[in-house]
Amino acid sequence: MKEYKILSQKDKFFSGKFDPLLLEQAINSYAEQGWEVVSMATASIPAFGGSRDEVIVLFEREA
């Protein structure tokens, strides 16, 4: 059986401050726990005055 985890810019790991270096650290941290990145994408999130793009990372590991 497999389990999945989603990481986004809103994740507590980023403390409200998204930074590519923090994303790298998060991915490496999850890798140490056995998680593997399966997919990455951007999602367009509606916001006041338009929209913003948000990074979404999908992880997978054996349960």
Side-chain angles (χ1 to χ4, degrees), residues 6-20 22-23 41-43 45 52-57:
I6 299 291
L7 175 70
S8 75
Q9 291 171 229
K10 296 283 188 183
D11 193 274
K12 63 184 175 183
F13 195 94
F14 299 109
S15 301
K17 301 173 193 165
F18 180 77
D19 179 327
L22 289 177
L23 176 60
T42 57
I45 310 297
R52 62 180 174 77
D53 289 334
E54 186 169 318
V55 174
I56 308 290
V57 182

Side-chain angles (χ1 to χ4, degrees), residues 2-63:
K2 295 182 181 187
E3 62 181 321
Y4 298 90
K5 176 182 283 299
I6 299 291
L7 175 70
S8 75
Q9 291 171 229
K10 296 283 188 183
D11 193 274
K12 63 184 175 183
F13 195 94
F14 299 109
S15 301
K17 301 173 193 165
F18 180 77
D19 179 327
L21 181 59
L22 289 177
L23 176 60
E24 180 180 340
Q25 292 171 355
I27 290 171
N28 286 327
S29 176
Y30 285 120
E32 290 174 0
Q33 300 171 37
W35 293 100
E36 293 182 29
V37 173
V38 175
S39 180
M40 295 179 74
T42 57
S44 184
I45 310 297
F48 294 109
S51 64
R52 62 180 174 77
D53 289 334
E54 186 169 318
V55 174
I56 308 290
V57 182
L58 173 63
F59 292 91
E60 172 185 82
R61 75 174 174 186
E62 295 292 328

